[in-house]
Amino acid sequence: MFDDIDRRIINHWQGGFPLVARPFAAVASDAGISEDEAILRIRRLREEGVLTRFGPLFNADALGGAFCLCAMAVPAQQWEATLAVVNARVEVAHNYERDHRLNMWFVLATERPGTIEKVCAEIEQATGLRVFAFPKLREFFVDFRVSA
């Protein structure tokens, strides 16, 4: 069950995780609940799939690595097997299904810029399907927020 307190917690974190000794206590205070309840709610939201990810986002470029948006045209009968191969890669930041000829889209984040091509080639070899790589040409900052 998703309620107004869950909504307040999520909306609070979209602006940034509190960099304090007890971040869950800070968010809990804002939501009017205890620190323990905040932790339990986050755990429940993760288990229920409301939150698909809870953790930091690193700027791979700033750390000497690279990001790359990738896409594949995956036949329906190969979807699950291809999904398992792609998602097993530690370099895959996230993966989405789209209603398009290129129906699998994912982001690779690697420790070194030259590794993107290697990972794409390994995915191609494992799946027998072409990986279309769309490297970043320019960076734009969009303050995207989801109103829960």
Side-chain angles (χ1 to χ4, degrees), residues 27-70:
V27 172
S29 175
D30 182 58
I33 58 176
S34 72
E35 180 179 22
D36 288 341
E37 184 177 351
I39 292 168
L40 289 172
R41 283 175 176 270
I42 294 301
R43 182 177 292 131
R44 178 183 47 78
L45 292 170
R46 281 283 290 131
E47 289 170 355
E48 291 175 356
V50 174
L51 296 178
T52 57
R53 183 181 184 288
F54 180 79
L57 292 174
F58 297 100
N59 184 339
D61 293 333
L63 296 170
F67 280 116
C68 187
L69 178 63
C70 300

Side-chain angles (χ1 to χ4, degrees), residues 73-122:
V74 182
Q77 66 274 17
Q78 289 180 253
W79 181 263
E80 291 301 321
T82 302
L83 184 66
V85 168
V86 171
N87 286 353
R89 300 296 308 223
V90 297
E91 301 89 355
V92 174
H94 47 270
N95 186 351
Y96 298 97
E97 181 177 9
R98 296 288 183 242
D99 185 21
H100 184 272
R101 184 181 71 80
L102 296 175
N103 56 349
M104 183 179 288
W105 289 80
F106 54 95
V107 172
L108 294 178
T110 62
E111 292 182 15
R112 293 178 188 78
T115 309
I116 295 287
E117 293 80 11
K118 178 181 178 284
V119 173
C120 289
E122 289 171 356

